[in-house]
Amino acid sequence: LVSPVVDKSLFARLVAGIGVPLGSSWVSRKAFYRAGGFDTKFTVMEDLEFLQRLVLVGDVEYCDFVVARFRMGRHPLSTTDWSASSDACRVQREKAFEIPDFLRAVRASLRCANTAQLRGRLVRFCVGSALRHLKKGSTCMALQRFGMAFRLAVPGIVRSGFWRGLGTGAIPDDSLAYQLERHEKGRTSGI
């Protein structure tokens, strides 16, 4: 029996770069167009950016078990330019930061349990964005990003997970990606 789960923290996870592979997902045509479809400016990781918008137009349900397995990364048969993925993630986050009511949406997404490390990671990304805008001479945008970082940081500042997320690029311990990684390691090590 399949019991779908609605993860209210999914928007924050997607902005932080922790995605749900769209290749193993079902999206109705109506939801696809309501979210605006794919942004053709992205040549890699367009699914993360699309999913960010999709979760803002309605609940996204998932099944808490593996439905597809595939390899990502460098492969001789791949046509994907993986060297562009880091920049694509940055552009995807910047686009999310510019969503009207971004702060409200991400704070609502962070109201779930066990999101301190995720909150720290998002604050780190906001500060990084602010510093890049300062470097480009976009002072107003930099101040806006620093303000976002401050408003996101205050509720989590007393939690140790927040500081782990702020200081490292580690995937949060409670993320689906982390759980799948642990499951896969357990299977390969005979545990």
Side-chain angles (χ1 to χ4, degrees):
L1 181 67
V2 176
S3 299
V5 177
V6 177
D7 182 356
K8 295 293 186 180
S9 68
L10 191 54
F11 179 65
R13 292 178 193 285
L14 291 166
V15 175
I18 304 165
V20 176
L22 194 59
S24 64
S25 304
W26 293 335
V27 178
S28 72
R29 171 181 278 188
K30 182 179 177 183
F32 180 82
Y33 285 113
R34 189 168 171 218
F38 288 115
D39 184 339
T40 57
K41 294 179 196 135
F42 286 85
T43 57
V44 295
M45 305 180 87
E46 64 278 359
D47 55 341
L48 279 178
E49 190 277 330
F50 167 70
L51 285 169
Q52 277 177 183
R53 291 181 284 114
L54 184 65
V55 300
L56 292 176
V57 298
D59 286 338
V60 173
E61 297 177 341
Y62 69 90
C63 297
D64 200 13
F65 57 88
V66 177
V67 295
R69 290 184 187 267
F70 55 92
R71 292 189 183 266
M72 291 178 51
R74 301 188 200 300
H75 187 276
L77 299 176
S78 175
T79 58
T80 302
D81 178 11
W82 288 103
S83 64
S85 65
S86 182
D87 286 336
C89 279
R90 196 171 301 115
V91 170
Q92 166 248 328
R93 275 192 300 273
E94 286 296 326
K95 192 170 176 185
F97 292 159
E98 293 168 8
I99 293 172
D101 291 332
F102 164 78
L103 198 56
R104 180 197 53 75
V106 81
R107 288 167 92 180
S109 185
L110 289 168
R111 285 193 190 108
C112 301
N114 301 322
T115 57
Q117 191 172 356
L118 182 60
R119 182 181 294 275
R121 187 176 165 121
L122 288 167
V123 167
R124 183 166 45 93
F125 290 142
C126 287
V127 169
S129 174
L131 294 173
R132 279 189 297 283
H133 282 290
L134 270 179
K135 191 174 182 179
K136 290 190 306 188
S138 303
T139 309
C140 290
M141 191 63 76
L143 290 173
Q144 180 197 34
R145 297 295 194 262
F146 279 129
M148 283 171 41
F150 178 77
R151 288 191 295 279
L152 285 173
V154 170
I157 210 159
V158 297
R159 301 181 190 261
S160 61
F162 170 82
W163 296 100
R164 280 195 307 275
L166 187 64
T168 68
I171 296 173
D173 297 345
D174 64 329
S175 74
L176 182 61
Y178 177 81
Q179 298 300 328
L180 288 173
E181 184 179 300
R182 281 187 51 213
H183 174 73
E184 196 59 32
K185 283 181 183 175
R187 282 191 42 205
T188 57
S189 66
I191 295 175

